[in-house]
Amino acid sequence: MLLEINDLKVTYGGAIALNGVSLNIERGEAVGLVGSNGAGKTSLFKAISGIVPAEGSITFDNKDLLALKAHEVPSLGLAHVPEGRRLFPRLSIEDNLLLGGSSTHVVDQSDFDRVYKLFPKLLERKTQLAGTLSGGEQQMAAIGRALMSRPEILMLDEPSLGIAPVLVEGIYKAIAQLRDEGQTILLAEQNVMECLEVCNRTYVLQTGQVVTSGPSDELAENDEIRKAFLGI
């Protein structure tokens, strides 16, 4: 098991964000995490990345992530693309990409080539300031920046949020391509159908707990689950 989470709890000032969440990811899987706003998806990502304190256990490649500080996590092979992208707006696309890999290894041209092949539009605009891009283009740059670290697991938090539908399609096409290439992915989304289509398995979160999980195609076809948990 590449990533294993057991009985994870996260609280903010007494408010419970996650209450006993357990999930796992095998190497090469694309695993989805769906639920409404406030279900706990972002809190789970932050706990994995060491940004918020948590109780329980998170084991990545036999290493205890809860024993590490946030700045120590990326070098192990986890790349977190946060909700809202969080690019450096006054730096160029290429400089943002460079920063994505510089903390984990010596960046070479093959790192840039991988990103530009996945998102050709970034190559066209590599000298453009990141803050001048559209929301969809910024999301491409944020995913590209994460890939520059050569991650074992790529964690994507709400990659479709606030993005024009035509660009969402392109981003999900890229995510599917990464999955087919063997990249391990953990994807959190409110866009349920997009998530189910691209992920092998999916967990459904509700008020900080996993209420159901299984193969994505089975969840998509189960009428009771669609109505009760997926809102479709």
Side-chain angles (χ1 to χ4, degrees):
M1 201 68 63
L2 183 58
L3 179 70
E4 189 166 8
I5 298 172
N6 287 301
D7 196 26
L8 192 68
K9 299 180 178 66
V10 173
T11 60
Y12 299 106
I16 299 173
L18 296 175
N19 188 16
V21 168
S22 297
L23 61 84
N24 59 73
I25 304 175
E26 295 276 10
R27 193 180 303 274
E29 272 194 306
V31 173
L33 189 66
V34 299
S36 61
N37 187 33
K41 302 185 300 296
T42 294
S43 293
L44 177 59
F45 274 42
K46 288 182 176 180
I48 296 170
S49 296
I51 299 171
V52 298
E55 299 177 6
S57 70
I58 306 176
T59 304
F60 172 70
D61 201 17
N62 297 318
K63 299 177 182 67
D64 179 8
L65 292 189
L66 295 185
L68 302 177
K69 298 184 183 301
H71 70 272
E72 297 173 312
V73 173
S75 63
L76 297 181
L78 291 100
H80 180 177
V81 181
E83 180 182 340
R85 279 90 67 179
R86 306 288 180 85
L87 296 173
F88 295 96
R90 296 185 181 181
L91 295 181
S92 68
I93 291 174
E94 189 138 287
D95 284 342
N96 271 274
L97 295 180
L98 181 61
L99 287 171
S102 60
S103 66
T104 58
H105 63 276
V106 177
V107 174
D108 60 35
Q109 188 58 44
S110 67
D111 296 306
F112 289 106
D113 290 344
R114 183 189 187 196
V115 172
Y116 291 146
K117 183 178 179 181
L118 190 66
F119 298 118
K121 187 169 289 188
L122 296 183
L123 176 59
E124 298 171 10
R125 304 188 178 187
K126 65 180 183 179
T127 60
Q128 189 170 333
L129 298 184
T132 65
L133 301 176
S134 70
E137 292 163 346
Q138 288 186 21
Q139 188 65 62
M140 294 175 191
I143 295 172
R145 180 177 62 183
L147 290 172
M148 292 289 289
S149 69
R150 304 177 187 174
E152 291 287 334
I153 293 183
L154 178 65
M155 304 194 306
L156 304 171
D157 192 1
E158 303 281 7
S160 70
L161 187 65
I163 295 174
V166 65
L167 291 179
V168 170
E169 181 179 352
I171 288 168
Y172 267 87
K173 183 178 179 180
I175 294 171
Q177 181 177 330
L178 290 169
R179 175 205 62 202
D180 293 344
E181 292 172 355
Q183 174 68 61
T184 308
I185 297 169
L186 179 59
L187 170 65
E189 263 290 6
Q190 290 186 62
N191 191 333
V192 174
M193 290 312 298
E194 292 282 9
C195 186
L196 292 177
E197 287 175 9
V198 80
C199 290
N200 307 110
R201 294 186 297 115
T202 297
Y203 292 83
V204 181
L205 269 184
Q206 190 175 59
T207 59
Q209 296 180 306
V210 175
V211 291
T212 191
S213 65
S216 297
D217 55 354
E218 293 182 10
L219 292 179
E221 293 172 2
N222 186 306
D223 287 338
E224 182 177 348
I225 290 174
R226 286 161 63 94
K227 292 177 183 177
F229 300 125
L230 305 183
I232 53 178

